[in-house]
Amino acid sequence: MTRIDGLAYDEVGEGPAVVLIHAGIADRRMWRHQCDSLSDRYRVISYDWRGYGESADPAGDLVHREDLLRVMDGLGVERAALVGDSMGGSYSVEAALVAPDRVAGLVLISSGLSGHTWPEDMIAQAREWVHSTVPADRLARYRSGTAGRVLPGDLDAFARAHVLWQVAGPDRGLDDLDPEVWELAFAMMRRVFERSWSRRPVTERHLSAKERLHEITAPTLVINGLADVPGIQAVSDLLTDEIKGARRLDLPATGHLPPLERPAEVNAALSSFLGDLSW
């Protein structure tokens, strides 16, 4: 394992640089199909956010866009295409706003967006479907990092419910996911909460990007899973409408992790989009 300032990363292939930024419910393992597919033409870099996967815990406030640019700096990458899933998409947008000359293109998959407020019905559904799987008093201690010990059964229940709600999607079930997708999604999700519940929370500093999407000049592809949570799909609508010239791909029967669930379709879209960029 190699790290840059505590950030674990993988690098394969040669050519123009493509940086893969994982979802908040995953780690860099979610990109295994894309690393294999793209490495014959591109220098493919994937890394774990600080506090995720094999990266070090945060020592202070988290600024994910700065960590993204820090990885690029550490590897001598002046300019790259950024491919982000979920909040990884949000951090890619922030990087494109603060360092536009360094971004050759953006691929925003099931993306989040800093400055956007999630709708109340989505928050209520998360509470009902996911948060209710762990007793409220224990969940509060876990989130504050004061529990001392995280019960394995709570991790299992919470991770399982979260995968069903988001990776499968609210209108699908376990049988709709390939067993390999389920196994990896569950393992990544469980690790996310195992780490976050075992330490004190830290402040994340964001750049509010929602009102600045018109400033983005990088060619952009928006990929949306049609089985994803509706409130998340609404962000894909917003990105498509507000980023000038953005392309859009909707994937039927696909939840929140299209690169893992629909690798053939995502890889084909990435290959086409990246091939059109002016590096």
Side-chain angles (χ1 to χ4, degrees):
M1 178 188 58
T2 349
R3 289 181 176 180
I4 293 171
D5 190 25
L7 298 165
Y9 72 92
D10 294 317
E11 180 181 12
V12 290
E14 297 181 355
V18 179
V19 182
L20 308 174
I21 306 97
H22 66 76
I25 60 172
D27 55 51
R28 74 187 194 275
R29 288 177 289 175
M30 68 166 283
W31 299 112
R32 57 185 183 179
H33 300 296
Q34 289 66 49
C35 290
D36 289 343
S37 173
L38 297 175
S39 59
D40 60 341
R41 294 184 58 192
Y42 300 99
R43 180 185 181 189
V44 184
I45 299 159
S46 59
Y47 72 97
D48 288 329
W49 300 0
R50 199 173 300 278
Y52 280 69
E54 295 181 303
S55 288
D57 284 336
D61 290 358
L62 273 171
V63 189
H64 287 291
R65 68 177 179 275
E66 293 181 359
D67 277 342
L68 166 55
L69 295 171
R70 187 171 288 115
V71 169
M72 292 174 62
D73 289 342
L75 294 174
V77 175
E78 290 296 324
R79 185 172 166 85
L82 306 182
V83 181
D85 191 298
S86 188
M87 289 307 293
S90 180
Y91 305 145
S92 300
V93 168
E94 291 186 36
L97 288 170
V98 300
D101 293 343
R102 303 193 65 181
V103 180
L106 284 173
V107 182
L108 308 175
I109 307 172
S110 305
S111 188
L113 179 63
S114 58
H116 178 71
T117 301
W118 297 116
E120 284 299 324
D121 60 342
M122 175 178 162
I123 295 171
Q125 192 175 69
R127 289 193 186 111
E128 178 184 356
W129 290 36
V130 182
H131 302 171
S132 65
T133 60
V134 174
D137 58 336
R138 286 210 300 270
L139 185 58
R141 291 197 298 274
Y142 291 151
R143 287 175 160 174
S144 67
T146 60
R149 175 174 176 261
V150 178
L151 298 179
D154 287 348
L155 280 171
D156 290 343
F158 201 87
R160 183 181 189 278
H162 214 307
V163 171
L164 288 172
W165 178 59
Q166 221 170 10
V167 181
D171 295 323
R172 297 197 300 166
L174 177 58
D175 291 343
D176 293 299
L177 290 178
D178 182 282
E180 290 188 4
V181 173
W182 162 260
E183 182 179 350
L184 181 55
F186 175 81
M188 291 189 295
M189 186 86 74
R190 192 182 190 282
R191 181 61 174 152
V192 166
F193 292 110
E194 183 179 30
R195 292 197 66 180
S196 66
W197 289 353
S198 300
R199 64 171 185 266
R200 295 279 185 171
V202 295
T203 300
E204 293 188 20
R205 292 193 285 115
H206 299 278
L207 172 72
S208 184
K210 183 176 182 179
E211 306 304 324
R212 297 182 57 186
L213 294 176
H214 64 281
E215 298 178 28
I216 292 176
T217 57
T220 300
L221 170 64
V222 176
I223 299 179
N224 176 62
L226 289 173
D228 202 353
V229 176
I232 297 172
Q233 293 194 58
V235 174
S236 292
D237 297 338
L238 185 61
L239 295 168
T240 306
D241 291 343
E242 297 295 327
I243 298 176
K244 185 176 179 180
R247 306 182 197 177
R248 171 74 172 258
L249 172 64
D250 288 305
L251 296 173
T254 305
H256 196 57
L257 297 181
L260 186 61
E261 187 178 4
R262 305 288 177 217
E265 294 90 334
V266 170
N267 292 347
L270 288 175
S271 180
S272 175
F273 177 77
L274 296 171
D276 289 342
L277 294 182
S278 301
W279 298 88

PDB file of all heavy atoms in Angstrom, residues 115-131:
ATOM      1  N   GLY A 115     -23.896  22.414  -0.836  1.00  0.00           N
ATOM      2  CA  GLY A 115     -24.833  23.525  -0.863  1.00  0.00           C
ATOM      3  C   GLY A 115     -26.266  23.110  -1.127  1.00  0.00           C
ATOM      4  O   GLY A 115     -27.184  23.923  -1.010  1.00  0.00           O
ATOM      5  N   HIS A 116     -26.455  21.838  -1.466  1.00  0.00           N
ATOM      6  CA  HIS A 116     -27.804  21.326  -1.735  1.00  0.00           C
ATOM      7  C   HIS A 116     -28.400  20.761  -0.449  1.00  0.00           C
ATOM      8  O   HIS A 116     -27.710  20.097   0.323  1.00  0.00           O
ATOM      9  CB  HIS A 116     -27.735  20.229  -2.803  1.00  0.00           C
ATOM     10  CG  HIS A 116     -29.052  19.606  -3.131  1.00  0.00           C
ATOM     11  ND1 HIS A 116     -30.028  20.268  -3.830  1.00  0.00           N
ATOM     12  CD2 HIS A 116     -29.559  18.378  -2.837  1.00  0.00           C
ATOM     13  CE1 HIS A 116     -31.076  19.474  -3.980  1.00  0.00           C
ATOM     14  NE2 HIS A 116     -30.823  18.332  -3.380  1.00  0.00           N
ATOM     15  N   THR A 117     -29.688  21.030  -0.227  1.00  0.00           N
ATOM     16  CA  THR A 117     -30.384  20.516   0.942  1.00  0.00           C
ATOM     17  C   THR A 117     -31.205  19.298   0.545  1.00  0.00           C
ATOM     18  O   THR A 117     -32.036  19.376  -0.375  1.00  0.00           O
ATOM     19  CB  THR A 117     -31.322  21.582   1.533  1.00  0.00           C
ATOM     20  OG1 THR A 117     -30.541  22.736   1.900  1.00  0.00           O
ATOM     21  CG2 THR A 117     -32.044  21.052   2.766  1.00  0.00           C
ATOM     22  N   TRP A 118     -30.961  18.182   1.223  1.00  0.00           N
ATOM     23  CA  TRP A 118     -31.720  16.976   0.908  1.00  0.00           C
ATOM     24  C   TRP A 118     -33.162  17.148   1.341  1.00  0.00           C
ATOM     25  O   TRP A 118     -33.432  17.718   2.400  1.00  0.00           O
ATOM     26  CB  TRP A 118     -31.107  15.765   1.609  1.00  0.00           C
ATOM     27  CG  TRP A 118     -29.713  15.453   1.166  1.00  0.00           C
ATOM     28  CD1 TRP A 118     -28.576  15.500   1.929  1.00  0.00           C
ATOM     29  CD2 TRP A 118     -29.290  15.042  -0.144  1.00  0.00           C
ATOM     30  NE1 TRP A 118     -27.486  15.159   1.177  1.00  0.00           N
ATOM     31  CE2 TRP A 118     -27.885  14.871  -0.106  1.00  0.00           C
ATOM     32  CE3 TRP A 118     -29.961  14.819  -1.347  1.00  0.00           C
ATOM     33  CZ2 TRP A 118     -27.142  14.473  -1.209  1.00  0.00           C
ATOM     34  CZ3 TRP A 118     -29.219  14.425  -2.456  1.00  0.00           C
ATOM     35  CH2 TRP A 118     -27.826  14.256  -2.394  1.00  0.00           C
ATOM     36  N   PRO A 119     -34.112  16.646   0.548  1.00  0.00           N
ATOM     37  CA  PRO A 119     -35.528  16.831   0.882  1.00  0.00           C
ATOM     38  C   PRO A 119     -35.930  16.078   2.148  1.00  0.00           C
ATOM     39  O   PRO A 119     -35.352  15.045   2.486  1.00  0.00           O
ATOM     40  CB  PRO A 119     -36.258  16.280  -0.354  1.00  0.00           C
ATOM     41  CG  PRO A 119     -35.276  15.376  -1.017  1.00  0.00           C
ATOM     42  CD  PRO A 119     -33.925  15.939  -0.734  1.00  0.00           C
ATOM     43  N   GLU A 120     -36.938  16.607   2.830  1.00  0.00           N
ATOM     44  CA  GLU A 120     -37.375  16.022   4.088  1.00  0.00           C
ATOM     45  C   GLU A 120     -37.859  14.592   3.932  1.00  0.00           C
ATOM     46  O   GLU A 120     -37.642  13.754   4.811  1.00  0.00           O
ATOM     47  CB  GLU A 120     -38.481  16.884   4.707  1.00  0.00           C
ATOM     48  CG  GLU A 120     -37.978  18.167   5.349  1.00  0.00           C
ATOM     49  CD  GLU A 120     -37.007  17.914   6.496  1.00  0.00           C
ATOM     50  OE1 GLU A 120     -37.194  16.923   7.242  1.00  0.00           O
ATOM     51  OE2 GLU A 120     -36.052  18.685   6.637  1.00  0.00           O
ATOM     52  N   ASP A 121     -38.524  14.277   2.811  1.00  0.00           N
ATOM     53  CA  ASP A 121     -39.016  12.907   2.649  1.00  0.00           C
ATOM     54  C   ASP A 121     -37.873  11.913   2.510  1.00  0.00           C
ATOM     55  O   ASP A 121     -37.979  10.761   2.949  1.00  0.00           O
ATOM     56  CB  ASP A 121     -39.988  12.812   1.471  1.00  0.00           C
ATOM     57  CG  ASP A 121     -39.369  13.219   0.140  1.00  0.00           C
ATOM     58  OD1 ASP A 121     -38.313  13.889   0.136  1.00  0.00           O
ATOM     59  OD2 ASP A 121     -39.952  12.867  -0.906  1.00  0.00           O
ATOM     60  N   MET A 122     -36.765  12.345   1.918  1.00  0.00           N
ATOM     61  CA  MET A 122     -35.592  11.475   1.814  1.00  0.00           C
ATOM     62  C   MET A 122     -34.977  11.245   3.193  1.00  0.00           C
ATOM     63  O   MET A 122     -34.610  10.110   3.549  1.00  0.00           O
ATOM     64  CB  MET A 122     -34.573  12.099   0.870  1.00  0.00           C
ATOM     65  CG  MET A 122     -33.256  11.350   0.773  1.00  0.00           C
ATOM     66  SD  MET A 122     -32.152  12.158  -0.425  1.00  0.00           S
ATOM     67  CE  MET A 122     -30.567  11.459   0.065  1.00  0.00           C
ATOM     68  N   ILE A 123     -34.860  12.283   3.987  1.00  0.00           N
ATOM     69  CA  ILE A 123     -34.302  12.163   5.332  1.00  0.00           C
ATOM     70  C   ILE A 123     -35.193  11.270   6.193  1.00  0.00           C
ATOM     71  O   ILE A 123     -34.713  10.411   6.951  1.00  0.00           O
ATOM     72  CB  ILE A 123     -34.136  13.556   5.967  1.00  0.00           C
ATOM     73  CG1 ILE A 123     -33.088  14.364   5.174  1.00  0.00           C
ATOM     74  CG2 ILE A 123     -33.742  13.454   7.434  1.00  0.00           C
ATOM     75  CD1 ILE A 123     -33.008  15.816   5.569  1.00  0.00           C
ATOM     76  N   ALA A 124     -36.512  11.440   6.053  1.00  0.00           N
ATOM     77  CA  ALA A 124     -37.442  10.615   6.820  1.00  0.00           C
ATOM     78  C   ALA A 124     -37.329   9.147   6.415  1.00  0.00           C
ATOM     79  O   ALA A 124     -37.394   8.251   7.272  1.00  0.00           O
ATOM     80  CB  ALA A 124     -38.870  11.121   6.609  1.00  0.00           C
ATOM     81  N   GLN A 125     -37.159   8.892   5.127  1.00  0.00           N
ATOM     82  CA  GLN A 125     -37.014   7.511   4.668  1.00  0.00           C
ATOM     83  C   GLN A 125     -35.731   6.886   5.204  1.00  0.00           C
ATOM     84  O   GLN A 125     -35.714   5.713   5.604  1.00  0.00           O
ATOM     85  CB  GLN A 125     -37.040   7.465   3.143  1.00  0.00           C
ATOM     86  CG  GLN A 125     -37.174   6.068   2.577  1.00  0.00           C
ATOM     87  CD  GLN A 125     -37.306   6.066   1.068  1.00  0.00           C
ATOM     88  OE1 GLN A 125     -36.350   6.390   0.355  1.00  0.00           O
ATOM     89  NE2 GLN A 125     -38.486   5.698   0.575  1.00  0.00           N
ATOM     90  N   ALA A 126     -34.644   7.659   5.224  1.00  0.00           N
ATOM     91  CA  ALA A 126     -33.389   7.148   5.774  1.00  0.00           C
ATOM     92  C   ALA A 126     -33.548   6.794   7.246  1.00  0.00           C
ATOM     93  O   ALA A 126     -33.046   5.764   7.712  1.00  0.00           O
ATOM     94  CB  ALA A 126     -32.283   8.176   5.590  1.00  0.00           C
ATOM     95  N   ARG A 127     -34.255   7.635   7.980  1.00  0.00           N
ATOM     96  CA  ARG A 127     -34.480   7.347   9.402  1.00  0.00           C
ATOM     97  C   ARG A 127     -35.283   6.056   9.564  1.00  0.00           C
ATOM     98  O   ARG A 127     -34.971   5.224  10.409  1.00  0.00           O
ATOM     99  CB  ARG A 127     -35.231   8.510  10.060  1.00  0.00           C
ATOM    100  CG  ARG A 127     -34.415   9.778  10.231  1.00  0.00           C
ATOM    101  CD  ARG A 127     -35.134  10.729  11.162  1.00  0.00           C
ATOM    102  NE  ARG A 127     -34.465  12.015  11.243  1.00  0.00           N
ATOM    103  CZ  ARG A 127     -34.958  13.148  10.741  1.00  0.00           C
ATOM    104  NH1 ARG A 127     -36.126  13.149  10.134  1.00  0.00           N
ATOM    105  NH2 ARG A 127     -34.285  14.277  10.863  1.00  0.00           N
ATOM    106  N   GLU A 128     -36.327   5.907   8.759  1.00  0.00           N
ATOM    107  CA  GLU A 128     -37.219   4.751   8.899  1.00  0.00           C
ATOM    108  C   GLU A 128     -36.547   3.460   8.456  1.00  0.00           C
ATOM    109  O   GLU A 128     -36.657   2.429   9.119  1.00  0.00           O
ATOM    110  CB  GLU A 128     -38.484   4.987   8.077  1.00  0.00           C
ATOM    111  CG  GLU A 128     -39.462   3.833   8.121  1.00  0.00           C
ATOM    112  CD  GLU A 128     -40.666   4.038   7.214  1.00  0.00           C
ATOM    113  OE1 GLU A 128     -40.777   5.125   6.606  1.00  0.00           O
ATOM    114  OE2 GLU A 128     -41.481   3.101   7.100  1.00  0.00           O
ATOM    115  N   TRP A 129     -35.847   3.505   7.333  1.00  0.00           N
ATOM    116  CA  TRP A 129     -35.300   2.290   6.733  1.00  0.00           C
ATOM    117  C   TRP A 129     -33.941   1.904   7.306  1.00  0.00           C
ATOM    118  O   TRP A 129     -33.615   0.724   7.359  1.00  0.00           O
ATOM    119  CB  TRP A 129     -35.168   2.468   5.223  1.00  0.00           C
ATOM    120  CG  TRP A 129     -36.459   2.507   4.475  1.00  0.00           C
ATOM    121  CD1 TRP A 129     -37.642   3.055   4.889  1.00  0.00           C
ATOM    122  CD2 TRP A 129     -36.695   1.995   3.161  1.00  0.00           C
ATOM    123  NE1 TRP A 129     -38.585   2.926   3.912  1.00  0.00           N
ATOM    124  CE2 TRP A 129     -38.044   2.280   2.844  1.00  0.00           C
ATOM    125  CE3 TRP A 129     -35.901   1.357   2.222  1.00  0.00           C
ATOM    126  CZ2 TRP A 129     -38.609   1.924   1.623  1.00  0.00           C
ATOM    127  CZ3 TRP A 129     -36.458   0.998   1.003  1.00  0.00           C
ATOM    128  CH2 TRP A 129     -37.807   1.273   0.713  1.00  0.00           C
ATOM    129  N   VAL A 130     -33.134   2.904   7.684  1.00  0.00           N
ATOM    130  CA  VAL A 130     -31.748   2.621   8.058  1.00  0.00           C
ATOM    131  C   VAL A 130     -31.493   2.899   9.538  1.00  0.00           C
ATOM    132  O   VAL A 130     -31.081   2.015  10.293  1.00  0.00           O
ATOM    133  CB  VAL A 130     -30.771   3.436   7.183  1.00  0.00           C
ATOM    134  CG1 VAL A 130     -29.325   3.088   7.549  1.00  0.00           C
ATOM    135  CG2 VAL A 130     -31.024   3.194   5.694  1.00  0.00           C
ATOM    136  N   HIS A 131     -31.733   4.133   9.958  1.00  0.00           N
ATOM    137  CA  HIS A 131     -31.364   4.516  11.317  1.00  0.00           C
ATOM    138  C   HIS A 131     -32.124   3.716  12.367  1.00  0.00           C
ATOM    139  O   HIS A 131     -31.614   3.483  13.476  1.00  0.00           O
ATOM    140  CB  HIS A 131     -31.613   6.011  11.527  1.00  0.00           C
ATOM    141  CG  HIS A 131     -30.868   6.876  10.560  1.00  0.00           C
ATOM    142  ND1 HIS A 131     -31.078   8.236  10.437  1.00  0.00           N
ATOM    143  CD2 HIS A 131     -29.921   6.566   9.635  1.00  0.00           C
ATOM    144  CE1 HIS A 131     -30.300   8.729   9.496  1.00  0.00           C
ATOM    145  NE2 HIS A 131     -29.583   7.735   9.001  1.00  0.00           N
TER     146      HIS A 131
END
